Amino acid sequence: MFVAALIPLARLAAGAALGTLGANPIEKIIRTTGYWTLSFLLITLAVTPLRIVLKLPRLVRLRRMLGLFAFFYGLLHFTGYVVLDQFFDWPAILKDIAKRPFITVGFPSFVLLIPLAVTSTDAMVRRLGGKCWRRLHRLVYVSAIGGVIHYLWLVKKDISDPLRFTVLLTALLGFRAIVLLRRRARGSNSTVLSDRREAG
Amino acid sequence: MRKTSSPRIAPSEITPRDLYHDRRRFMQAAAGAAAAALWPHWLSAGEKLPGVRKTDHVLPDALTPFEDVAHYNNFYEFGTDKETPSRTAGSLKTRPWTVSVEGEVQKPKLFDVDDLLKLAPLEERIYRLRCVEGWSMVVPWVGFPLAELIKRVEPTGNAKFVEFITLYDPARMPGQKSSVLDWPYREALRLDEAMHPLTLLVFGLYGEVLPNQNGAPVRVVVPWKYGFKSAKSIVRIRFVEQQPVSTWTRAVPSEYGFYANVNPQVDHPRWSQAKERRLGEFFKRPTLMFNGYAEQVAHLYAGMDLKKFF
């Protein structure tokens, strides 16, 4: 799994080395890393529904690694923008964040992932306490919604790719909403609740 | 033309481009002008266009390599990303092809594209091409001023705008099977813009017949405007009194205006236009007013608020 998650990066690196990233390699690098950031965010968010539906509680062990890969690709995406696209032109970057709606929403979506990555270690979970940690990590929902909007607003006209992400994210969040509603209806002792607790 | 079905050729067997061109130049010189006049068959993409004059329309900027010009295309008729058109545009047959010149003109005419090609001497002009998305390239186009055609059809006093209409044929243009834009693609210029000596009717690039994905067999090139203003694969040119609505304006009126002049001071609503990435360069360069053609075209817009008429 770990190796598979590095394939997109390996392909980009090989493309850059061989000069096969096309006429606009910088755009290609930024687009590809952005695509995989969103993909890993959605894959991470799919862990809880999958382990409930498939009754495979062990899946949760993969979640931290997948989430960190989302952050990793997000970091590459953001660094690609700052270094390759803008080359540290901070005034231009600030202007982008202020004036270009897709960056206005994309930038905080990435920044929100930083505290999640920092608090991903076992030691940090213990330090924060489970309840506090879970609350903090609900920020991932905000980040994923922001990330999908970022993609939707970037695209000029053909929104079929960002729509796919939108549909998937809606399904993943919808699943949680249903679980939450059921839990409320059944009262606090249901099995779904204990699942949720563990899932965070 | 690269065809996907052609056999693989070892890189060592490919003639370097310069040598290949030298040989072609030699052959042409040997054959002489007579061969050019005969044109024994339909020209297809990649063939050398005969009798092309060099002009003083050159730039200090380095040319964008042919490979990049032909593989980084916004041509939604063949797909919405940049690489797809070069793969799918093989389905466009560019002969036979006619261009109907009609509307408010004294002499409307249905031109065969091979006759249109011979209407005026072909010349090579090196222009910057700036896309509204913030990238640019430098292309040696082959064609002649659109004014040469316009003069011959004699616009009436009612002709205020010239509209260009791209082929609509989903079988030959697979991207048209999707309703991502309102087909056929339409673009338009004010008559004085269309008559401007910089506005070209283009049949080739790099001395060769246009690759399909670059708008074969005939397109316009308006170098001081964003790329989407330069309609490709044209089948109709209409002279009209009312300002036409362009395809991109119809799709997103707040983002794509009728004029679409390259202007670093007027941001696109979703991104800055102050700088651009020249393909092949790492650092962005500042975008020039009217894409560097201000001296020639600024007078066309004297007194206009270019923020309003974007």
Side-chain angles (χ1 to χ4, degrees):
Chain A
M1 184 66 100
F2 186 86
V3 174
L6 284 169
I7 289 174
L9 178 64
R11 288 181 53 179
L12 266 187
L18 299 170
T20 54
L21 294 181
N24 197 344
I26 293 174
E27 178 190 55
K28 179 78 113 207
I29 289 168
I30 294 174
R31 291 279 169 94
T32 308
T33 50
Y35 180 90
W36 286 102
T37 307
L38 269 185
S39 300
F40 276 106
L41 269 177
L42 294 194
I43 294 170
T44 309
L45 288 177
V47 169
T48 295
L50 281 180
R51 69 195 198 86
I52 292 176
V53 171
L54 303 176
K55 301 197 165 61
L56 278 173
R58 278 174 308 158
L59 278 180
V60 76
R61 290 183 198 163
L62 290 172
R63 196 176 54 180
R64 169 160 53 192
M65 186 189 75
L66 291 167
L68 282 170
F69 267 114
F71 174 72
F72 174 65
Y73 279 102
L75 187 65
L76 290 176
H77 181 63
F78 181 73
T79 313
Y81 163 72
V82 170
V83 180
L84 302 178
D85 190 51
Q86 300 289 346
F87 200 69
F88 307 106
D89 183 349
W90 299 108
I93 291 169
L94 289 177
K95 242 189 186 168
D96 268 0
I97 293 171
K99 287 181 74 178
R100 298 163 74 168
F102 82 95
I103 296 181
T104 313
V105 63
F107 176 68
S109 303
F110 166 69
V111 170
L112 284 181
L113 290 177
I114 298 174
L116 307 196
V118 170
T119 58
S120 64
T121 59
D122 290 338
M124 283 306 278
V125 180
R126 275 196 297 277
R127 249 179 85 179
L128 286 170
K131 198 173 170 188
C132 187
W133 186 90
R134 277 196 299 271
R135 257 197 207 158
L136 176 67
H137 278 248
R138 283 191 196 129
L139 283 176
V140 74
Y141 302 134
V142 182
S143 183
I145 293 170
V148 169
I149 294 174
H150 168 68
Y151 194 11
L152 270 172
W153 284 355
L154 157 76
V155 168
K156 244 164 58 170
K157 194 72 179 61
D158 181 10
I159 55 169
S160 49
D161 270 341
L163 268 187
R164 258 169 241 149
F165 282 105
T166 310
V167 169
L168 284 172
L169 180 63
T170 310
L172 294 172
L173 296 182
F175 179 88
R176 286 169 168 79
I178 291 166
V179 169
L180 201 72
L181 287 175
R182 276 208 198 160
R183 169 178 132 190
R184 285 213 177 134
R186 286 190 200 171
S188 55
N189 288 325
S190 75
T191 51
V192 177
L193 174 68
S194 58
D195 262 349
R196 284 289 305 165
R197 280 252 163 106
E198 208 185 315
Chain B
M1 225 5 252
R2 278 146 294 277
K3 286 194 184 115
T4 44
S5 59
S6 56
R8 284 175 187 276
I9 299 168
S12 58
E13 288 178 26
I14 296 170
T15 310
R17 193 167 189 89
D18 287 349
L19 269 181
Y20 172 72
H21 279 175
D22 274 351
R23 183 177 165 277
R24 281 194 166 187
R25 270 191 283 276
F26 170 77
M27 302 274 284
Q28 268 176 5
L38 286 175
W39 287 6
H41 61 96
W42 287 339
L43 290 161
S44 56
E47 254 180 277
K48 199 93 182 159
L49 280 163
V52 178
R53 293 187 308 175
K54 296 276 173 192
T55 62
D56 53 3
H57 289 274
V58 291
L59 293 172
D61 314 29
L63 295 182
T64 303
F66 176 87
E67 285 303 308
D68 289 348
V69 174
H71 290 87
Y72 194 76
N73 309 101
N74 267 330
F75 201 172
Y76 278 27
E77 280 80 346
F78 295 105
T80 55
D81 69 47
K82 306 273 190 305
E83 286 90 16
T84 311
S86 58
R87 289 198 305 267
T88 59
S91 57
L92 179 69
K93 285 194 199 72
T94 57
R95 296 292 190 286
W97 190 282
T98 57
V99 180
S100 171
V101 185
E102 57 190 51
E104 293 290 347
V105 288
Q106 305 284 356
K107 296 179 173 169
K109 191 174 170 184
L110 184 68
F111 286 91
D112 185 275
V113 71
D114 289 308
D115 296 332
L116 197 57
L117 193 66
K118 288 176 238 175
L119 203 68
L122 293 177
E123 47 188 88
E124 177 169 275
R125 294 195 185 186
I126 297 167
Y127 282 166
R128 297 178 199 90
L129 169 74
R130 169 65 156 81
C131 178
V132 70
E133 298 166 348
W135 52 268
S136 63
M137 41 171 87
V138 179
V139 186
W141 300 109
V142 176
F144 53 75
L146 177 64
E148 296 284 349
L149 169 64
I150 295 178
K151 278 186 269 178
R152 283 171 176 79
V153 294
E154 298 176 18
T156 70
N158 290 333
K160 301 283 191 290
F161 296 91
V162 188
E163 186 178 35
F164 307 92
I165 300 163
T166 297
L167 175 73
Y168 176 71
D169 184 351
R172 286 194 281 174
M173 293 182 146
Q176 290 176 334
K177 288 171 190 160
S178 141
S179 56
V180 62
L181 288 175
D182 188 11
W183 313 113
Y185 194 88
R186 292 163 188 274
E187 255 311 334
L189 298 169
R190 236 167 43 189
L191 185 62
D192 58 343
E193 295 175 326
M195 289 289 290
H196 192 280
L198 283 177
T199 304
L200 278 194
L201 195 62
V202 164
F203 302 89
L205 57 83
Y206 268 100
E208 298 174 355
V209 173
L210 276 175
N212 289 355
Q213 64 270 28
N214 292 87
V218 57
R219 63 173 296 172
V220 284
V221 170
V222 194
W224 70 93
K225 291 176 181 284
Y226 294 120
F228 70 89
K229 288 298 292 181
S230 295
K232 307 188 189 86
S233 304
I234 295 168
V235 291
R236 281 166 77 200
I237 299 177
R238 293 175 63 214
F239 291 75
V240 294
E241 190 167 7
Q242 301 296 325
Q243 180 176 305
V245 180
S246 308
T247 296
W248 275 105
T249 308
R250 184 184 299 270
V252 199
S254 59
E255 298 186 15
Y256 309 98
F258 176 79
Y259 284 93
N261 291 315
V262 175
N263 187 338
Q265 284 136 38
V266 178
D267 285 349
H268 182 279
R270 292 190 293 156
W271 54 78
S272 160
Q273 296 292 29
K275 292 198 214 168
E276 68 200 50
R277 165 155 293 114
R278 179 68 52 81
L279 294 188
E281 292 181 0
F282 179 73
F283 293 104
K284 289 189 174 182
R285 43 168 81 212
T287 288
L288 304 171
M289 188 64 201
F290 295 112
N291 206 19
Y293 301 95
E295 209 176 293
Q296 295 97 315
V297 302
H299 68 274
L300 295 173
Y301 311 101
M304 280 175 68
D305 178 357
L306 296 177
K307 278 200 160 64
K308 191 174 163 212
F309 297 100
F310 60 94

